[in-house]
Amino acid sequence: MSIHLKLANIAVLTVSDTRNEETDTSGKYLAEALIEAGHQLADKKIVIDCPYKIRAVVSQWIADESIESILITGGTGFTSRDTTPEAVSVLFDKQVEGFGELFRHVSYQEIGSSTIQSRAIAGFANKTVIFCMPGSTGACKTAWTKIIKEQMNSTHKPCNFMPHIG
């Protein structure tokens, strides 16, 4: 019996008022990690932390049938400018509650109780799985290596997100 590995077209969005292509280490990490895992980088953008600008980019990608997953880094904290969860959650058809819960659990092993300040979330919209994680490169590595990479692997058992996208 052969196992068919399904790969995804994934877009990366960095939400930041200060980062640009040269200083966006988190977005760069996510783009490189998804390519290393065999997926395709469908698009990559940086937007300021404005809910309408975030929602505009994410809505465009959700409507694009070729984009199957969106990785968003930044804007998940508690400052007045952190609006990613509010911008994106209204677009979800279904929320993946376990992502935020598990992210904070595994992050606790690394940064202790400071993980409580993460508002990491995930959900599905139009057969597109969307992951929103903190802006630090360390948080992106934690989310990718300990959660997202396996869930975006069609051979991961007992289940993964691949049958639900596209």
Side-chain angles (χ1 to χ4, degrees):
M1 178 173 111
S2 72
I3 297 174
H4 176 66
L5 181 64
K6 181 183 186 306
L7 301 171
N9 290 318
I10 304 174
V12 175
L13 179 64
T14 298
V15 175
S16 176
D17 293 336
T18 59
R19 294 189 185 168
N20 57 42
E21 283 301 325
E22 293 78 44
T23 61
D24 178 22
T25 57
S26 298
K28 182 179 179 190
Y29 168 78
L30 290 169
E32 290 172 354
L34 72 87
I35 291 168
E36 185 179 307
H39 301 290
Q40 294 291 321
L41 179 62
D43 201 355
K44 183 180 178 305
K45 294 187 185 219
I46 299 172
V47 298
I48 63 168
D49 206 331
C50 166
Y52 306 104
K53 291 183 184 288
I54 297 166
R55 206 173 287 147
V57 172
V58 174
S59 293
Q60 182 181 21
W61 285 344
I62 290 168
D64 183 337
E65 292 181 10
S66 71
I67 295 177
E68 298 164 301
S69 180
I70 302 169
L71 305 179
I72 303 173
T73 174
T76 62
F78 283 102
T79 72
S80 61
R81 295 287 298 158
D82 290 327
T83 61
T84 299
E86 291 78 14
V88 177
S89 63
V90 297
L91 302 172
F92 290 164
D93 299 322
K94 293 184 180 181
Q95 189 155 342
V96 181
E97 290 88 353
F99 174 73
E101 295 166 359
L102 183 56
F103 174 79
R104 284 180 284 279
H105 174 76
V106 297
S107 181
Y108 180 79
Q109 309 305 316
E110 298 171 5
I111 65 168
S113 66
S114 293
T115 192
I116 200 168
Q117 294 193 34
S118 166
R119 297 187 305 134
I121 62 167
F124 279 89
N126 192 31
K127 296 185 179 179
T128 304
V129 62
I130 302 159
F131 299 95
C132 304
M133 61 205 99
S136 78
T137 306
C140 291
K141 286 180 182 176
T142 297
W144 177 261
T145 61
K146 297 190 177 172
I147 305 169
I148 300 169
K149 183 178 179 181
E150 285 185 344
Q151 286 301 302
M152 295 302 293
N153 180 335
S154 62
T155 65
H156 180 72
K157 301 295 179 196
C159 58
N160 59 74
F161 285 133
M162 298 306 281
H164 309 290
I165 64 171

